[in-house]
Amino acid sequence: MWETDVPLATLTRYRIGGLAPRFARLETMADLLDAVRSMDGLEYRVLGWGANVLVSDRGVSEPVLTLTGEFDSVLLSEHAMEAGAGAGLPALVGDARRGSRTGWEFLEAVPGSVGGGLRMNAGSVDVGVWDRVLWAEAATPAGELIRMSPADARPTYRCVDVPGDWVFTAASFEAPAGEAEEVHSAHVERRRQKIESQVYELPTCGSIWKNPGPPHGSAWEVVDRAGMRGAIHGGAQITERHANFIANLGDATAADVLWLMSETRRRVADTEGIWLQPEICLWGFDAEELDSVGAAA
Ligand SMILES: Cc1cc2nc3c(=O)[nH]c(=O)nc-3n(C[C@H](O)[C@H](O)[C@H](O)COP(=O)(O)OP(=O)(O)OC[C@H]3O[C@@H](n4cnc5c(N)ncnc54)[C@H](O)[C@@H]3O)c2cc1C
C-alpha cells in the first residue's frame, strides 16, 4: 500500500514541491480504513487532484493519502448524483450537463476531486458545492464512517466545519431535471467566462487570496492597486490576466511563489490597511513562512 519518497510536484497542478516520505493510493474503503487506523494518532494529509495545494520545496513530513479505484465513481439517478470522493468535479459537472440537470454550471472549469471540493466548499462567489449536498460521508482517524448533512458541516465561503483529519469518501448531491437547451447554454456560458478571465494554460493553484470584501472589493483588485499585477520572482508570476493567480512559468519553486505572496501581502497592507488571507492550502512550510503569508501554522 505504501510508496516511499513520492515527488508531490508530479501530483499537484502547480508542478511544484518536494517529496512525500510515505504515500498511499487507496483503492477501496477497506484500504482507507486500514490506513487511517494505522496512523495511530500520527498526523497525515489527504491529497485530491492537488489543484489548491502549494507544497514546500522541502516536501512534507507527514504521510499522504489519496483516493482512487472505487472512490472514482459518479452515479446519476432520477433526482440526485452520488459520487466517490476521488471522482473529478469535471466528471460531476459533465454528467449534470449531459443529463440536463439544473444548477451545476457554477462548477464549470473548476479542477479538482469531489473530496477536495467538499473540503474547500468549491464553487463560485455565490454558490458552493455544499449548497447541493444531500449528505456527505467521511472517515474519521478511528476508522469510523460518519454521514453528515450540510447543517452538520456548517459550510461557509471555501470552508467547512469538519475536523481536518476526516477524509471525505463520498457524497450525494441534488440534481433535479432541467430544460436541456437552458442547462447546456448555462454551462457553455459559465465555462467561457472562466476560461476568458482566469488562467488555464499555465500551472496555477486557482485564486491565491480570499476576497477581502467591502469596501476593498475582490482580491485581484487590491493586488492590482498594490502594483503587483504582472510581478515576477524567479519562475513565478502574478498573472497579467488575473491578479489573484500566480503562475508557474516553468521552473518556479515554492519559495518563488511564497516570496510573491509575502511581498503582495506587505504592499496591500500599506495601500489598503488590510492583511490578505490565503485561500490556497500550504503544505510543508515552517511557522515563519506561514506567518509571512498570513496562513495558520
Ligand atoms: C485554474 C483553476 C481554477 C480554479 N477555480 C476555482 C473556482 O472557480 N472555485 C473554487 O472554489 N476553486 C477553484 N480552484 C481551486 C480548486 O479547483 C478547488 O479548491 C478544488 O476543490 C480543489 O480540489 P482538489 O481535489 O484538487 O483538492 P486538493 O488541492 O488536492 O486539496 C485541497 C484541500 O482539500 C483536502 N482534501 C482533498 N481531498 C480530500 C478528501 N477526500 N477528504 C478530506 N480532505 C480532502 C486537502 O487535504 C486540502 O486541504 C481553481 C483552481 C485552478 C487551478
Side-chain angles (χ1 to χ4, degrees):
M1 180 191 299
W2 292 100
E3 299 164 49
T4 52
D5 291 340
V6 172
L8 291 174
T10 61
L11 298 169
T12 56
R13 193 161 165 124
Y14 238 153
R15 297 280 176 262
I16 292 176
L19 304 178
R22 296 177 73 214
F23 189 90
R25 291 170 224 264
L26 304 166
E27 297 193 357
T28 66
M29 186 65 82
D31 285 350
L32 168 62
L33 299 181
D34 279 353
V36 287
R37 285 189 193 116
S38 74
M39 298 296 158
D40 210 14
L42 211 74
E43 278 186 32
Y44 52 88
R45 295 181 183 272
V46 192
L47 185 68
W49 282 20
N52 213 213
V53 175
L54 172 64
V55 179
S56 150
D57 299 316
R58 300 183 298 274
V60 299
S61 51
E62 305 85 357
V64 178
L65 315 175
T66 196
L67 303 180
T68 179
E70 73 177 40
F71 296 102
D72 289 349
S73 66
V74 179
L75 225 109
L76 194 62
S77 65
E78 207 179 336
H79 302 292
M81 281 192 290
E82 200 171 313
L89 296 173
L92 204 65
V93 173
D95 275 10
R97 178 171 39 79
R98 283 185 294 274
S100 301
R101 303 311 174 90
T102 185
W104 281 91
E105 66 277 4
F106 75 98
L107 262 191
E108 267 294 344
V110 178
S113 64
V114 166
L118 289 167
R119 173 59 69 193
M120 300 306 298
N121 194 14
S124 63
V125 174
D126 313 308
V127 190
V129 279
W130 279 89
D131 291 316
R132 301 287 179 268
V133 167
L134 297 168
W135 55 259
E137 187 183 74
T140 70
E144 283 173 314
L145 283 176
I146 307 281
R147 192 170 272 210
M148 69 196 90
S149 68
D152 300 323
R154 292 194 290 273
T156 49
Y157 185 73
R158 302 290 174 267
C159 201
V160 276
D161 190 9
V162 173
D165 53 5
W166 289 20
V167 185
F168 288 109
T169 55
S172 177
F173 302 94
E174 60 185 31
E179 204 275 312
E181 196 49 46
E182 270 174 31
V183 168
H184 184 75
S185 46
H187 279 255
V188 170
E189 177 53 18
R190 176 72 187 155
R191 172 165 284 269
R192 188 192 62 74
Q193 285 169 4
K194 286 265 302 172
I195 307 265
E196 264 179 30
S197 62
Q198 300 188 351
V199 179
Y200 285 86
E201 66 280 14
L202 286 170
T204 75
C205 210
S207 295
I208 293 285
W209 305 107
K210 292 183 181 161
N211 288 323
H216 304 282
S218 303
W220 71 262
E221 293 176 288
V222 302
V223 175
D224 201 16
R225 286 201 289 272
M228 290 299 284
R229 184 190 287 267
I232 296 182
H233 187 81
Q237 178 175 33
I238 299 181
T239 67
E240 292 283 357
R241 190 178 315 145
H242 197 305
N244 199 19
F245 275 53
I246 299 180
N248 175 359
L249 300 176
D251 57 357
T253 61
D256 294 338
V257 177
L258 213 69
W259 188 93
L260 283 173
M261 289 179 70
S262 155
E263 181 64 11
T264 301
R265 199 163 172 270
R266 198 181 56 72
R267 288 203 194 187
V268 167
D270 283 349
T271 51
E272 310 272 331
I274 50 164
W275 292 101
L276 287 171
Q277 302 296 316
E279 183 168 308
I280 61 170
C281 307
L282 294 139
W283 286 13
F285 296 93
D286 65 30
E288 198 181 329
E289 289 168 322
L290 292 174
D291 190 49
S292 75
V293 297

